[in-house]
Amino acid sequence: MPTETGYDPSLGNKFVFVTGGVMSGLGKGITAASLGRLLKEAGFDVTAVKIDPYLNVDAGTMNPYQHGEVYVLKDGAEVDLDLGNYERFLGEDMTADHNVTTGKVYQHVIERERAGDYLGKTVQIIPHITDDIKRRVREAAEGTDVCIVEVGGTIGDIEGMPFLEALRQFAHEEDESDILFTHVTLVPYSKNGEQKTKPTQHSVKELRSIGLQPDVVVGRCPNHLDPETKRKIALFCDVPTDAVFSNPDVEDIYHVPLTVEEEGLDDYVLEALSLSDRACPPEERADGWRERVTRDTDGEVDIALVGKYALEDAYISIHEALKHAGIERGVDVNVLWVDADEMGTDHEERLHRADGIVVPGGFGSRGTEGKIGAIRYARLNGIPFLGLCLGFQMAVVEFARNVLDLDGAHSAEVDDSTPHPVIDLLPEQDGLDDMGGTMRLGAHETEIEPETLAAEIYGDTTCVERHRHRYEVNPEYIDDLEGGGMTFSGQAGRRMEILELDDHPFFVGTQFHPEFRSRPTRASPPFVGFLDAVLSRTETPREVEI
Ligand code: GLN
C-alpha cells in the first residue's frame, strides 16, 4: 500500500551508489544531489547518505580550514557540509544516520565486541564492519523510494575500501534493478584542446579491480563531452554509450540539475531502476526548480562577510542563504570577504563599501576584536547587520562596552578574566572538558515577542532553528542590556535567542544559525529581512570609522 507521500513499501528501496574518480573536489556531491532532485521531481521520495571514510566519528571537531563548514542537522548531528547540499537540493531534512563515517562504524562494532555480542568470534572488517555499513545504509533508506549513497573521497583511497566492499556485497543481496552504480570522474583537456579519457579509464579499471562495475559514468569537464569522448569512455569502461553523461561547468550549482536533465541522466536512471512506469512525464519535471533558479535578477548588492577563515566552504551555508534571499527578492548578492584580522587594509575598505554586514559564527578568540569593530561600525552608521551565533554574541559585547560603558566586557570564551562576562558558558557546560559533542545542538524552539522586528521577519510567534553553541547571554546582564536599548525579541526560557536595536534600520543577531534551514526553494526569514533592509536603505552618512 502506498503511504501518504506516495512511497510504496511493497516495491522496496532503490539505491544509487555514487563514487568518485581521479581526484576529489569534482563536484561529486552536487552531481549526486542534482540527480536526487530530478528523481524527486519525477515523483519519488528521495533521501541521501553521505559516507565519509575518515576516522572522525562526526565532523564536530573538524577544522573548517581543512573540511569547510560543520553543518548541523535538526537532530543536532554535526556533519559534513555535503549533507547541507543534499538538504538544499532535495528540500528534505536529514538526521545523523545519513552521515556514515569510519569512526561511527568502528566505534559501534568495537562497543558490541566489548559487550560480547559477537559470542567469541574473531571480529573482522569482512563481515562485521561491512555488515554494519550495509545495515546503516538500509536503515537510512527506510521509508523512501530512492536512496542516493555518496562515497566520499576517490577510488583507490585505502580508507574507502571497506565501504566499497560493503557496496559490492550489497549489489549481490539486492535485485539488479534496485541498484545503480554511478561513477563521477574527471575528463581533462590536453594542451592541444583534446578531451582526455585516460584518467577515467584508470579509475574505472581500479573500480573494477575491486569488483565494482559502474552502470553510469558522469564526466566532469569544463564543456560537454564530445560524442567521440563518450564513445571512448563507453568502450574502455564497458558501459553503453548512452550511459555516459556530461556534467559541464556551470556558473550556478543550482543549474546542475537542469544540465544533467538535458543530458537525459534522470530518464536513464529511472529506466535502469525500473521506475519509468511510475515516474511523472519528463515535461512536468523540474519546472518549479527551473523557474526559481533561473529567475531574472534586477540589481545587485554587496554584503560584507566578516570572518576568520578565508575559504568560501567554511561559510558555505551563509553564502547559500544569502543567495536564496537573493532568489526570493530577484537580486544578485555579492559577498565581499572581510578578514576580521585584517582591519586597516583593503579588507576594511571592502567593509566600508558594503551595503550590509554579516558576522558569522565561530570559535576562539582570533578575529573577535575585528568583528566587534565591524559591528560597531554597522551600529553607528545604520548599516543593515546580521549577526549569527558568535556574531550575535559579539554584538552583545560591543553594546556592553560602547553603550553601557562596561569596560573590558567580553565573552568568557575569549577572555576568561573579563570583569564583565556578558557572554558566559551555558550552565550545563561548566566543568566539561571533552570537546566532542558537548554543545547545545540542533533544532530548538524560540518564542518571539509580538510587534518586534523578529516577529515581522518570521511572521509568527515562534520559530524553530538549529543551534551549535556552548556560550550564551549571561542572565545577570540581561536587565542592563535591555535597559540600555537592546531588545531580546526571541527567547527560549532564560536563553536569549534573538536581539535587535530599535533605533537602527536593521540590527539583528541570532544565537542560532538560520542559514542551516535556508533552501533555494524556501529562503530563510532573517536573511530575507536583512536583504529587504539592504534594498530599502537610503544612503546614510558614514561618519564613524572603526
Ligand atoms: N563560540 C561560541 C559558542 O560556543 C559561538 C559558536 C558559534 O558561533 N557557532 O557559544
Side-chain angles (χ1 to χ4, degrees):
M1 275 292 289
T3 61
E4 232 171 76
T5 54
Y7 164 65
D8 187 342
S10 67
L11 296 171
N13 307 115
K14 307 277 183 181
F15 295 90
V16 177
F17 298 130
V18 182
T19 52
V22 185
M23 64 178 209
S24 60
L26 281 182
K28 167 165 48 95
I30 299 292
T31 309
S34 298
L35 174 59
R37 179 76 217 179
L38 291 175
L39 299 179
K40 191 174 165 171
E41 297 281 342
F44 298 99
D45 274 328
V46 181
T47 194
V49 171
K50 171 77 197 292
I51 289 176
D52 281 309
Y54 46 64
L55 272 165
N56 304 59
V57 173
D58 64 31
T61 56
M62 289 180 138
N63 181 338
Y65 253 137
Q66 268 185 33
H67 285 273
E69 143 193 299
V70 176
Y71 189 76
V72 181
L73 301 176
K74 67 176 177 191
D75 65 356
E78 299 171 284
V79 295
D80 189 85
L81 60 81
D82 273 325
L83 271 281
N85 285 326
Y86 285 112
E87 286 203 339
R88 288 187 280 267
F89 275 76
L90 296 178
E92 303 283 343
D93 287 350
M94 313 263 158
T95 58
D97 301 339
H98 294 253
N99 195 192
V100 179
T101 67
T102 300
K104 239 182 224 176
V105 172
Y106 276 72
Q107 190 178 47
H108 180 72
V109 170
I110 291 170
E111 272 166 12
R112 288 193 57 198
E113 184 275 329
R114 292 288 83 188
D117 285 0
Y118 296 108
L119 308 173
K121 289 201 189 95
T122 309
V123 181
Q124 294 178 298
I125 292 179
I126 305 171
H128 302 101
I129 294 294
T130 48
D131 279 354
D132 195 63
I133 294 167
K134 289 184 286 178
R135 172 186 68 80
R136 285 170 190 272
V137 170
R138 286 199 171 95
E139 282 177 11
E142 255 167 42
T144 63
D145 296 307
V146 186
C147 181
I148 310 267
V149 183
E150 179 196 348
V151 186
T154 307
I155 294 305
D157 298 345
I158 289 179
E159 291 91 339
M161 289 302 187
F163 292 101
L164 297 169
E165 168 58 20
L167 300 190
R168 191 191 65 78
Q169 295 170 15
F170 211 107
H172 281 286
E173 295 164 11
E174 304 282 333
D175 283 351
E176 211 179 303
S177 65
D178 288 342
I179 304 274
L180 184 102
F181 280 94
T182 301
H183 191 57
V184 181
T185 174
L186 175 73
V187 179
Y189 276 101
S190 70
K191 260 202 195 130
N192 51 8
E194 229 184 298
Q195 291 178 341
K196 305 305 283 182
T197 63
K198 193 67 87 190
T200 299
Q201 293 177 36
H202 276 294
S203 77
V204 171
K205 199 169 148 195
E206 190 132 12
L207 203 56
R208 293 170 76 178
S209 75
I210 49 177
L212 297 176
Q213 167 63 41
D215 300 299
V216 164
V217 176
V218 178
R220 284 283 300 113
C221 180
N223 300 306
H224 280 84
L225 302 182
D226 301 331
E228 184 48 31
T229 309
K230 285 190 177 180
R231 265 197 298 276
K232 239 175 153 177
I233 292 176
L235 182 67
F236 283 103
C237 304
D238 203 12
V239 295
T241 312
D242 60 359
V244 183
F245 296 89
S246 307
N247 182 2
D249 291 350
V250 285
E251 70 184 55
D252 183 340
I253 53 166
Y254 298 129
H255 294 174
V256 176
L258 306 176
T259 49
V260 294
E261 185 200 28
E262 270 163 34
E263 281 273 301
L265 177 64
D266 50 342
D267 280 331
Y268 190 91
V269 170
L270 289 167
E271 187 66 40
L273 293 174
S274 307
L275 288 173
S276 301
D277 296 352
R278 292 164 55 212
C280 77
E283 58 278 10
E284 285 169 29
R285 291 179 217 156
D287 278 355
W289 181 268
R290 177 176 291 106
E291 188 279 314
R292 256 196 96 95
V293 304
T294 58
R295 269 190 190 176
D296 284 337
T297 50
D298 180 16
E300 56 180 322
V301 295
D302 291 332
I303 304 300
L305 179 62
V306 188
K308 67 172 179 177
Y309 299 112
L311 174 78
E312 189 169 325
D313 268 358
Y315 302 109
I316 181 170
S317 291
I318 295 176
H319 281 265
E320 295 307 313
L322 287 167
K323 197 155 116 188
H324 304 158
I327 291 175
E328 188 67 40
R329 290 297 184 247
V331 288
D332 285 322
V333 180
N334 304 321
V335 177
L336 308 179
W337 168 243
V338 175
D339 190 324
D341 258 351
E342 297 284 333
M343 291 302 167
T345 68
D346 55 330
H347 287 266
E348 189 169 335
E349 232 171 79
R350 283 205 285 281
L351 181 75
H352 289 190
R353 197 152 36 92
D355 304 305
I357 296 173
V358 174
V359 177
F363 291 83
S365 60
R366 190 166 72 77
T368 46
E369 288 308 318
K371 289 177 186 174
I372 292 168
I375 294 167
R376 175 167 176 266
Y377 172 79
R379 181 174 61 78
L380 293 173
N381 289 288
I383 319 275
F385 163 76
L386 183 61
L388 306 167
C389 206
L390 184 70
F392 160 97
Q393 297 175 352
M394 290 304 114
V396 172
V397 170
E398 191 280 321
F399 194 82
R401 286 186 191 175
N402 299 323
V403 178
L404 303 184
D405 289 327
L406 298 175
D407 278 352
H410 222 320
S411 163
E413 177 185 13
V414 183
D415 176 4
D416 57 10
S417 59
T418 168
H420 298 293
V422 287
I423 303 293
D424 209 349
L425 265 191
L426 301 172
E428 65 262 36
Q429 300 290 329
D430 250 341
L432 260 176
D433 51 20
D434 175 3
M435 293 310 243
T438 59
M439 278 185 271
R440 180 168 182 246
L441 287 164
H444 296 281
E445 189 173 272
T446 294
E447 300 275 344
I448 300 173
E449 183 72 20
E451 287 168 39
T452 56
L453 181 54
E456 197 184 304
I457 288 170
Y458 277 99
D460 208 339
T461 51
T462 58
C463 67
V464 177
E465 299 277 13
R466 299 183 190 172
H467 296 69
R468 182 173 186 244
H469 64 119
R470 280 197 186 87
Y471 293 81
E472 64 179 358
V473 178
N474 184 342
E476 286 175 24
Y477 287 90
I478 292 171
D479 287 348
D480 287 352
L481 290 160
E482 294 220 297
M486 178 168 271
T487 303
F488 290 106
S489 49
Q491 305 188 6
R494 288 289 286 159
R495 292 198 156 111
M496 301 302 109
E497 294 276 10
I498 309 177
L499 67 76
E500 57 190 73
L501 294 180
D502 286 345
D503 55 352
H504 191 286
F506 190 98
F507 189 99
V508 172
T510 63
Q511 179 61 81
F512 46 76
H513 292 269
E515 67 272 24
F516 293 141
R517 290 197 68 229
S518 188
R519 309 274 180 265
T521 49
R522 186 199 66 205
S524 162
F527 282 86
V528 176
F530 169 68
L531 186 59
D532 282 342
V534 167
L535 291 170
S536 60
R537 191 171 74 89
T538 46
E539 269 309 305
T540 41
R542 301 186 186 187
E543 288 152 4
V544 186
E545 298 297 311
I546 296 174

PDB file of all heavy atoms in Angstrom, residues 197-221:
ATOM      1  N   THR A 197      40.525  10.816 -21.944  1.00  0.00           N
ATOM      2  CA  THR A 197      39.737   9.829 -21.198  1.00  0.00           C
ATOM      3  C   THR A 197      40.593   8.903 -20.343  1.00  0.00           C
ATOM      4  O   THR A 197      40.069   8.098 -19.587  1.00  0.00           O
ATOM      5  CB  THR A 197      38.906   8.942 -22.153  1.00  0.00           C
ATOM      6  OG1 THR A 197      39.813   8.215 -22.975  1.00  0.00           O
ATOM      7  CG2 THR A 197      37.992   9.784 -23.025  1.00  0.00           C
ATOM      8  N   LYS A 198      41.917   9.027 -20.469  1.00  0.00           N
ATOM      9  CA  LYS A 198      42.782   8.062 -19.763  1.00  0.00           C
ATOM     10  C   LYS A 198      42.577   8.066 -18.245  1.00  0.00           C
ATOM     11  O   LYS A 198      42.451   6.988 -17.642  1.00  0.00           O
ATOM     12  CB  LYS A 198      44.250   8.323 -20.124  1.00  0.00           C
ATOM     13  CG  LYS A 198      45.202   7.223 -19.704  1.00  0.00           C
ATOM     14  CD  LYS A 198      44.981   5.930 -20.479  1.00  0.00           C
ATOM     15  CE  LYS A 198      45.756   5.910 -21.774  1.00  0.00           C
ATOM     16  NZ  LYS A 198      45.411   4.808 -22.667  1.00  0.00           N
ATOM     17  N   PRO A 199      42.497   9.247 -17.598  1.00  0.00           N
ATOM     18  CA  PRO A 199      42.263   9.199 -16.137  1.00  0.00           C
ATOM     19  C   PRO A 199      40.973   8.458 -15.784  1.00  0.00           C
ATOM     20  O   PRO A 199      40.938   7.695 -14.818  1.00  0.00           O
ATOM     21  CB  PRO A 199      42.166  10.685 -15.751  1.00  0.00           C
ATOM     22  CG  PRO A 199      42.893  11.421 -16.832  1.00  0.00           C
ATOM     23  CD  PRO A 199      42.685  10.620 -18.081  1.00  0.00           C
ATOM     24  N   THR A 200      39.936   8.644 -16.593  1.00  0.00           N
ATOM     25  CA  THR A 200      38.667   7.945 -16.356  1.00  0.00           C
ATOM     26  C   THR A 200      38.852   6.439 -16.536  1.00  0.00           C
ATOM     27  O   THR A 200      38.406   5.635 -15.707  1.00  0.00           O
ATOM     28  CB  THR A 200      37.587   8.466 -17.328  1.00  0.00           C
ATOM     29  OG1 THR A 200      37.412   9.846 -17.066  1.00  0.00           O
ATOM     30  CG2 THR A 200      36.269   7.731 -17.165  1.00  0.00           C
ATOM     31  N   GLN A 201      39.553   6.068 -17.619  1.00  0.00           N
ATOM     32  CA  GLN A 201      39.794   4.639 -17.849  1.00  0.00           C
ATOM     33  C   GLN A 201      40.485   4.014 -16.642  1.00  0.00           C
ATOM     34  O   GLN A 201      40.130   2.930 -16.196  1.00  0.00           O
ATOM     35  CB  GLN A 201      40.694   4.450 -19.070  1.00  0.00           C
ATOM     36  CG  GLN A 201      40.066   4.838 -20.383  1.00  0.00           C
ATOM     37  CD  GLN A 201      41.070   4.670 -21.519  1.00  0.00           C
ATOM     38  OE1 GLN A 201      41.883   3.755 -21.512  1.00  0.00           O
ATOM     39  NE2 GLN A 201      41.021   5.565 -22.480  1.00  0.00           N
ATOM     40  N   HIS A 202      41.497   4.749 -16.114  1.00  0.00           N
ATOM     41  CA  HIS A 202      42.251   4.190 -14.987  1.00  0.00           C
ATOM     42  C   HIS A 202      41.394   4.061 -13.742  1.00  0.00           C
ATOM     43  O   HIS A 202      41.492   3.078 -13.022  1.00  0.00           O
ATOM     44  CB  HIS A 202      43.481   5.057 -14.690  1.00  0.00           C
ATOM     45  CG  HIS A 202      44.634   4.704 -15.568  1.00  0.00           C
ATOM     46  ND1 HIS A 202      45.256   3.486 -15.486  1.00  0.00           N
ATOM     47  CD2 HIS A 202      45.243   5.389 -16.559  1.00  0.00           C
ATOM     48  CE1 HIS A 202      46.212   3.434 -16.402  1.00  0.00           C
ATOM     49  NE2 HIS A 202      46.224   4.589 -17.069  1.00  0.00           N
ATOM     50  N   SER A 203      40.562   5.070 -13.485  1.00  0.00           N
ATOM     51  CA  SER A 203      39.802   4.979 -12.237  1.00  0.00           C
ATOM     52  C   SER A 203      38.721   3.903 -12.348  1.00  0.00           C
ATOM     53  O   SER A 203      38.428   3.213 -11.375  1.00  0.00           O
ATOM     54  CB  SER A 203      39.251   6.340 -11.808  1.00  0.00           C
ATOM     55  OG  SER A 203      38.132   6.687 -12.552  1.00  0.00           O
ATOM     56  N   VAL A 204      38.167   3.715 -13.551  1.00  0.00           N
ATOM     57  CA  VAL A 204      37.176   2.630 -13.704  1.00  0.00           C
ATOM     58  C   VAL A 204      37.868   1.270 -13.609  1.00  0.00           C
ATOM     59  O   VAL A 204      37.331   0.325 -13.032  1.00  0.00           O
ATOM     60  CB  VAL A 204      36.378   2.798 -15.024  1.00  0.00           C
ATOM     61  CG1 VAL A 204      35.508   1.572 -15.291  1.00  0.00           C
ATOM     62  CG2 VAL A 204      35.500   4.047 -14.947  1.00  0.00           C
ATOM     63  N   LYS A 205      39.090   1.203 -14.125  1.00  0.00           N
ATOM     64  CA  LYS A 205      39.849  -0.046 -14.018  1.00  0.00           C
ATOM     65  C   LYS A 205      40.047  -0.401 -12.547  1.00  0.00           C
ATOM     66  O   LYS A 205      39.896  -1.548 -12.123  1.00  0.00           O
ATOM     67  CB  LYS A 205      41.213   0.173 -14.692  1.00  0.00           C
ATOM     68  CG  LYS A 205      41.923  -1.081 -15.067  1.00  0.00           C
ATOM     69  CD  LYS A 205      43.098  -0.718 -15.950  1.00  0.00           C
ATOM     70  CE  LYS A 205      44.231  -1.690 -15.733  1.00  0.00           C
ATOM     71  NZ  LYS A 205      45.480  -1.176 -16.281  1.00  0.00           N
ATOM     72  N   GLU A 206      40.362   0.619 -11.766  1.00  0.00           N
ATOM     73  CA  GLU A 206      40.578   0.423 -10.322  1.00  0.00           C
ATOM     74  C   GLU A 206      39.281  -0.031  -9.642  1.00  0.00           C
ATOM     75  O   GLU A 206      39.275  -0.913  -8.787  1.00  0.00           O
ATOM     76  CB  GLU A 206      41.051   1.748  -9.722  1.00  0.00           C
ATOM     77  CG  GLU A 206      41.522   1.622  -8.312  1.00  0.00           C
ATOM     78  CD  GLU A 206      42.855   2.311  -8.090  1.00  0.00           C
ATOM     79  OE1 GLU A 206      43.315   3.069  -8.961  1.00  0.00           O
ATOM     80  OE2 GLU A 206      43.431   2.063  -7.014  1.00  0.00           O
ATOM     81  N   LEU A 207      38.187   0.583 -10.060  1.00  0.00           N
ATOM     82  CA  LEU A 207      36.863   0.225  -9.527  1.00  0.00           C
ATOM     83  C   LEU A 207      36.566  -1.237  -9.850  1.00  0.00           C
ATOM     84  O   LEU A 207      36.111  -2.011  -8.991  1.00  0.00           O
ATOM     85  CB  LEU A 207      35.840   1.142 -10.208  1.00  0.00           C
ATOM     86  CG  LEU A 207      34.494   1.431  -9.586  1.00  0.00           C
ATOM     87  CD1 LEU A 207      34.668   1.989  -8.185  1.00  0.00           C
ATOM     88  CD2 LEU A 207      33.754   2.472 -10.442  1.00  0.00           C
ATOM     89  N   ARG A 208      36.848  -1.622 -11.083  1.00  0.00           N
ATOM     90  CA  ARG A 208      36.540  -2.996 -11.493  1.00  0.00           C
ATOM     91  C   ARG A 208      37.440  -3.993 -10.787  1.00  0.00           C
ATOM     92  O   ARG A 208      37.034  -5.127 -10.531  1.00  0.00           O
ATOM     93  CB  ARG A 208      36.663  -3.120 -13.009  1.00  0.00           C
ATOM     94  CG  ARG A 208      35.579  -2.289 -13.698  1.00  0.00           C
ATOM     95  CD  ARG A 208      35.792  -2.180 -15.173  1.00  0.00           C
ATOM     96  NE  ARG A 208      35.425  -3.405 -15.867  1.00  0.00           N
ATOM     97  CZ  ARG A 208      35.492  -3.557 -17.185  1.00  0.00           C
ATOM     98  NH1 ARG A 208      35.917  -2.570 -17.933  1.00  0.00           N
ATOM     99  NH2 ARG A 208      35.145  -4.680 -17.740  1.00  0.00           N
ATOM    100  N   SER A 209      38.656  -3.558 -10.454  1.00  0.00           N
ATOM    101  CA  SER A 209      39.569  -4.491  -9.778  1.00  0.00           C
ATOM    102  C   SER A 209      39.072  -4.838  -8.377  1.00  0.00           C
ATOM    103  O   SER A 209      39.475  -5.825  -7.796  1.00  0.00           O
ATOM    104  CB  SER A 209      40.989  -3.908  -9.720  1.00  0.00           C
ATOM    105  OG  SER A 209      41.028  -2.890  -8.737  1.00  0.00           O
ATOM    106  N   ILE A 210      38.184  -4.009  -7.818  1.00  0.00           N
ATOM    107  CA  ILE A 210      37.610  -4.375  -6.521  1.00  0.00           C
ATOM    108  C   ILE A 210      36.179  -4.900  -6.684  1.00  0.00           C
ATOM    109  O   ILE A 210      35.401  -4.950  -5.736  1.00  0.00           O
ATOM    110  CB  ILE A 210      37.680  -3.212  -5.498  1.00  0.00           C
ATOM    111  CG1 ILE A 210      37.157  -1.912  -6.110  1.00  0.00           C
ATOM    112  CG2 ILE A 210      39.068  -3.030  -4.968  1.00  0.00           C
ATOM    113  CD1 ILE A 210      37.125  -0.741  -5.137  1.00  0.00           C
ATOM    114  N   GLY A 211      35.849  -5.247  -7.892  1.00  0.00           N
ATOM    115  CA  GLY A 211      34.582  -5.942  -8.127  1.00  0.00           C
ATOM    116  C   GLY A 211      33.397  -5.050  -8.394  1.00  0.00           C
ATOM    117  O   GLY A 211      32.259  -5.508  -8.338  1.00  0.00           O
ATOM    118  N   LEU A 212      33.643  -3.778  -8.652  1.00  0.00           N
ATOM    119  CA  LEU A 212      32.524  -2.871  -8.919  1.00  0.00           C
ATOM    120  C   LEU A 212      32.534  -2.436 -10.377  1.00  0.00           C
ATOM    121  O   LEU A 212      33.546  -1.927 -10.875  1.00  0.00           O
ATOM    122  CB  LEU A 212      32.606  -1.628  -8.029  1.00  0.00           C
ATOM    123  CG  LEU A 212      32.504  -1.854  -6.523  1.00  0.00           C
ATOM    124  CD1 LEU A 212      32.695  -0.540  -5.776  1.00  0.00           C
ATOM    125  CD2 LEU A 212      31.156  -2.465  -6.165  1.00  0.00           C
ATOM    126  N   GLN A 213      31.411  -2.634 -11.047  1.00  0.00           N
ATOM    127  CA  GLN A 213      31.295  -2.210 -12.436  1.00  0.00           C
ATOM    128  C   GLN A 213      30.306  -1.043 -12.494  1.00  0.00           C
ATOM    129  O   GLN A 213      29.153  -1.195 -12.103  1.00  0.00           O
ATOM    130  CB  GLN A 213      30.778  -3.381 -13.294  1.00  0.00           C
ATOM    131  CG  GLN A 213      30.310  -3.005 -14.681  1.00  0.00           C
ATOM    132  CD  GLN A 213      31.418  -2.429 -15.569  1.00  0.00           C
ATOM    133  OE1 GLN A 213      32.561  -2.907 -15.576  1.00  0.00           O
ATOM    134  NE2 GLN A 213      31.094  -1.373 -16.318  1.00  0.00           N
ATOM    135  N   PRO A 214      30.757   0.148 -12.936  1.00  0.00           N
ATOM    136  CA  PRO A 214      29.781   1.248 -12.999  1.00  0.00           C
ATOM    137  C   PRO A 214      28.703   0.969 -14.049  1.00  0.00           C
ATOM    138  O   PRO A 214      28.974   0.363 -15.080  1.00  0.00           O
ATOM    139  CB  PRO A 214      30.630   2.461 -13.385  1.00  0.00           C
ATOM    140  CG  PRO A 214      31.865   1.919 -13.999  1.00  0.00           C
ATOM    141  CD  PRO A 214      32.092   0.554 -13.409  1.00  0.00           C
ATOM    142  N   ASP A 215      27.488   1.413 -13.748  1.00  0.00           N
ATOM    143  CA  ASP A 215      26.404   1.353 -14.735  1.00  0.00           C
ATOM    144  C   ASP A 215      26.351   2.652 -15.520  1.00  0.00           C
ATOM    145  O   ASP A 215      25.894   2.670 -16.655  1.00  0.00           O
ATOM    146  CB  ASP A 215      25.058   1.159 -14.017  1.00  0.00           C
ATOM    147  CG  ASP A 215      25.033  -0.116 -13.209  1.00  0.00           C
ATOM    148  OD1 ASP A 215      25.188  -1.191 -13.815  1.00  0.00           O
ATOM    149  OD2 ASP A 215      24.892  -0.050 -11.969  1.00  0.00           O
ATOM    150  N   VAL A 216      26.767   3.732 -14.866  1.00  0.00           N
ATOM    151  CA  VAL A 216      26.689   5.060 -15.455  1.00  0.00           C
ATOM    152  C   VAL A 216      28.008   5.779 -15.174  1.00  0.00           C
ATOM    153  O   VAL A 216      28.543   5.660 -14.066  1.00  0.00           O
ATOM    154  CB  VAL A 216      25.515   5.848 -14.815  1.00  0.00           C
ATOM    155  CG1 VAL A 216      25.618   7.336 -15.082  1.00  0.00           C
ATOM    156  CG2 VAL A 216      24.169   5.312 -15.284  1.00  0.00           C
ATOM    157  N   VAL A 217      28.530   6.502 -16.161  1.00  0.00           N
ATOM    158  CA  VAL A 217      29.722   7.320 -15.938  1.00  0.00           C
ATOM    159  C   VAL A 217      29.359   8.778 -16.225  1.00  0.00           C
ATOM    160  O   VAL A 217      28.773   9.081 -17.276  1.00  0.00           O
ATOM    161  CB  VAL A 217      30.899   6.880 -16.847  1.00  0.00           C
ATOM    162  CG1 VAL A 217      32.103   7.811 -16.661  1.00  0.00           C
ATOM    163  CG2 VAL A 217      31.288   5.433 -16.551  1.00  0.00           C
ATOM    164  N   VAL A 218      29.662   9.646 -15.267  1.00  0.00           N
ATOM    165  CA  VAL A 218      29.404  11.077 -15.463  1.00  0.00           C
ATOM    166  C   VAL A 218      30.755  11.779 -15.558  1.00  0.00           C
ATOM    167  O   VAL A 218      31.571  11.688 -14.634  1.00  0.00           O
ATOM    168  CB  VAL A 218      28.581  11.668 -14.292  1.00  0.00           C
ATOM    169  CG1 VAL A 218      28.370  13.169 -14.486  1.00  0.00           C
ATOM    170  CG2 VAL A 218      27.235  10.957 -14.163  1.00  0.00           C
ATOM    171  N   GLY A 219      30.998  12.445 -16.660  1.00  0.00           N
ATOM    172  CA  GLY A 219      32.291  13.105 -16.881  1.00  0.00           C
ATOM    173  C   GLY A 219      32.219  14.578 -16.513  1.00  0.00           C
ATOM    174  O   GLY A 219      31.445  15.330 -17.098  1.00  0.00           O
ATOM    175  N   ARG A 220      33.042  14.943 -15.535  1.00  0.00           N
ATOM    176  CA  ARG A 220      33.145  16.376 -15.180  1.00  0.00           C
ATOM    177  C   ARG A 220      34.198  16.994 -16.070  1.00  0.00           C
ATOM    178  O   ARG A 220      35.344  16.541 -16.114  1.00  0.00           O
ATOM    179  CB  ARG A 220      33.527  16.521 -13.703  1.00  0.00           C
ATOM    180  CG  ARG A 220      32.388  16.256 -12.750  1.00  0.00           C
ATOM    181  CD  ARG A 220      31.394  17.436 -12.663  1.00  0.00           C
ATOM    182  NE  ARG A 220      32.068  18.643 -12.201  1.00  0.00           N
ATOM    183  CZ  ARG A 220      32.255  19.726 -12.960  1.00  0.00           C
ATOM    184  NH1 ARG A 220      31.846  19.781 -14.204  1.00  0.00           N
ATOM    185  NH2 ARG A 220      32.875  20.773 -12.457  1.00  0.00           N
ATOM    186  N   CYS A 221      33.802  18.010 -16.775  1.00  0.00           N
ATOM    187  CA  CYS A 221      34.668  18.615 -17.777  1.00  0.00           C
ATOM    188  C   CYS A 221      34.225  20.067 -17.907  1.00  0.00           C
ATOM    189  O   CYS A 221      33.048  20.366 -17.676  1.00  0.00           O
ATOM    190  CB  CYS A 221      34.442  17.860 -19.098  1.00  0.00           C
ATOM    191  SG  CYS A 221      35.435  18.454 -20.468  1.00  0.00           S
TER     192      CYS A 221
END
